[in-house]
Amino acid sequence: MVQPLNRLKESASQTAGPYVHIGLTPNFCGIEGVYADDLGAAMVNDKTRGERITVRARVIDGTGTPLKDALIEIWQADAAGLYNSPSELRGAADPNFAGWGRLASDMETGLFEFSTIKPGRVPFKDGRLMAPHITFWIVARGINLGLHTRMYFSDEQDANAEDPLLQRVEHKNRVPTLIAPRDGDVYTFDIHLQGEKETIFLDI
Amino acid sequence: MSNERPETGAFFQRDRQWQPPAYTPGYKTSVVRSPQKALISLDNTLSEITGPVFGHSMLGALDADLIHNFAKAGESAIGPRIIVHGRVLDERGKGVAGALVEVWQANAGGRYRHKKESYLAPLDPNFGGCGRVITDADGSYCFRTIQPGPYPWPNGVNDWRPAHIHFSVFGHGFAQRLITQMYFEGDPLIWRCPIVATIPDRAAVEGLVAALDMQATIPMDARAYKFDIVLRGRRSTLFENRLEGN
């Protein structure tokens, strides 16, 4: 016999359900007066460094219908490529940018609009630079375990071409599912849960 | 929070035989909301290892008291008064300090305070249904609420959710992000529920069932349930082939 490893098992995930707003964006769904603000609703202030952008996202199901009850959290580096996290040991991130945002979709249109900044580049494990990207985490009714993906930027073609994750994708025709087209200062990121245009999701 | 050097290791791989798969047709909504292609595996980079950490200063005095945080002055929510407490641990058994735990639930009659909700059970004017807490140095947390009621939902013709409290947990890295549901010991609806049944392993389900905790129960006031939550653990960074400053 060998010694048992005795590790605990991660708690099993369950769907966030249709009423996720009650807990995570209560002001948005009309429960006011409990928390002053919904956490993660505002990502930038006047002092935040970097290029202001809007990320306009939708989550679309296998029939082509946008989800109207999804919730997205995003996590990104600041304009210099530093994360505002205790686990970031390379330097101090912009104190006016937490790097984290949380929004519920519009209940009629399914749209999310994050007002944020364009992130700088962050090194991969081997030191190569990754292309600028925003990490997405998506939960909703019908999603049993939160889905992770990344949004890359259409106007970063050179960086995208050398990105270690994008390079690894075997089916190159799927890479565009992670690249958001730019129009003015708006990037549009349609996340397809299923079907021909299915977005690449990550096991991280 | 401790003043130890922050951990920067990658997280243990998620056990996807233990976690519910995406496609679980008994839970009908999952059918068109489940990816059909394989996930692309990515050993954690800085983007997954890091994550925001929330300070105790953001909490209001009643954030962890759902009996009172939406109630009119001098009033309180109706229903069985309970305390829910436990620890947030990682897979190595270490307490996760400073974890943000957010909860939401229906009232004692199974009615959620939400505009898209139309169940005929009435709202409680003194119950909102949201609360939050940040774990202490040893990973422990505690909040006070009323026990939620079971709730019918249009999945099968006669499906009822067991009494449950939704939990959202934020550890130290974005890869640890987890949403789950807590159930109550002895509820016969647990083993009939299609959402519970998305979890393939019975032991994994049992890990979501909180035990009645008479030791923490306050006589003549509130019963207690104990619910521990386990987040992904981190690999040691001691011998990892890491670049300086990474």
Side-chain angles (χ1 to χ4, degrees), chain A residues 6-26 28-40 60-63 65-71 73-75 81 83-91 98-102 106-108 122-128 130 133 135-137 139-148 150 164-165 168-171 174 192-204, chain B residues 1 5-8 12-16 18-24 27 29-54 58 62-63 69-70 89-94 100 102-105 112-118 128-132 151 161 166 168 170 172 174-181 183 195-199 204-205 207-208 227-232 234 241-243 245-246:
Chain A
N6 279 344
R7 291 225 168 80
L8 302 177
K9 297 293 287 185
E10 185 187 18
S11 294
S13 173
Q14 292 269 262
T15 179
Y19 308 128
V20 58
H21 316 94
I22 294 173
L24 302 189
T25 57
F28 171 78
C29 77
I31 299 175
E32 290 162 355
V34 181
Y35 309 149
D37 303 298
D38 288 338
L39 216 51
I60 299 165
D61 73 16
T63 75
T65 308
L67 273 58
K68 291 160 187 158
D69 52 10
L71 181 126
E73 292 182 3
I74 63 174
W75 173 238
Y83 282 106
N84 196 333
S85 164
S87 299
E88 172 62 88
L89 304 180
R90 296 172 300 148
W100 176 76
R102 170 193 281 170
D106 182 280
M107 289 189 197
E108 306 302 322
V122 174
F124 191 61
K125 294 185 301 170
D126 58 8
R128 285 182 292 164
M130 295 189 279
H133 63 274
T135 298
F136 275 63
W137 185 71
V139 294
R141 175 172 68 101
I143 295 176
N144 291 324
L145 175 63
L147 295 167
H148 283 269
R150 283 184 179 185
L165 172 65
R168 182 193 295 179
V169 176
E170 179 189 354
H171 301 106
R174 298 195 66 203
H192 291 268
L193 296 177
Q194 190 178 93
E196 264 180 47
K197 292 185 277 186
E198 184 173 312
T199 300
I200 292 175
F201 295 103
L202 301 173
D203 186 4
I204 64 171
Chain B
M1 299 290 290
R5 193 168 189 265
E7 292 189 291
T8 56
F12 297 155
Q13 183 187 346
R14 192 164 245 158
D15 182 350
R16 291 181 180 269
W18 173 264
Q19 291 290 349
Y23 176 71
T24 50
Y27 174 26
T29 313
S30 76
V31 172
V32 295
R33 294 185 173 196
S34 45
Q36 295 167 326
K37 297 184 173 68
L39 306 178
I40 304 279
S41 297
L42 177 67
D43 190 27
N44 293 174
T45 73
L46 276 168
S47 303
E48 292 77 37
I49 288 165
T50 57
V53 170
F54 302 89
M58 76 175 209
L62 293 179
D63 281 8
N69 69 10
F70 193 76
L89 305 162
D90 74 12
E91 290 169 298
R92 300 167 301 180
K94 296 175 75 166
L100 174 65
E102 296 165 285
V103 297
W104 67 101
Q105 62 169 92
Y112 284 95
R113 184 174 288 280
H114 192 283
K115 58 185 76 163
K116 295 251 175 119
E117 216 276 23
S118 56
C130 61
R132 62 187 178 185
Y151 168 80
R161 296 303 323 283
H166 296 266
S168 165
F170 233 119
H172 296 169
F174 206 57
Q176 285 180 307
R177 201 68 185 85
L178 183 72
I179 280 183
T180 188
Q181 301 182 26
Y183 304 101
I195 288 178
V196 173
T198 62
I199 300 169
V205 173
L208 301 184
F227 185 55
D228 287 343
I229 300 156
V230 181
L231 302 181
R232 295 168 69 181
R234 274 186 205 265
N241 184 20
R242 291 165 54 241
L243 295 170
N246 183 6

Side-chain angles (χ1 to χ4, degrees), chain B residues 184-216:
Chain B
F184 292 85
E185 178 182 4
D187 186 341
L189 289 171
I190 293 171
W191 304 103
R192 293 178 167 89
C193 175
I195 288 178
V196 173
T198 62
I199 300 169
D201 190 311
R202 186 179 174 99
V205 173
E206 286 168 348
L208 301 184
V209 182
L212 177 65
D213 182 357
M214 290 306 290
Q215 274 78 6

Side-chain angles (χ1 to χ4, degrees), chain B residues 51-74:
Chain B
V53 170
F54 302 89
H56 287 81
S57 60
M58 76 175 209
L59 298 179
L62 293 179
D63 281 8
D65 182 357
L66 285 74
I67 295 177
H68 295 103
N69 69 10
F70 193 76
K72 290 186 271 298

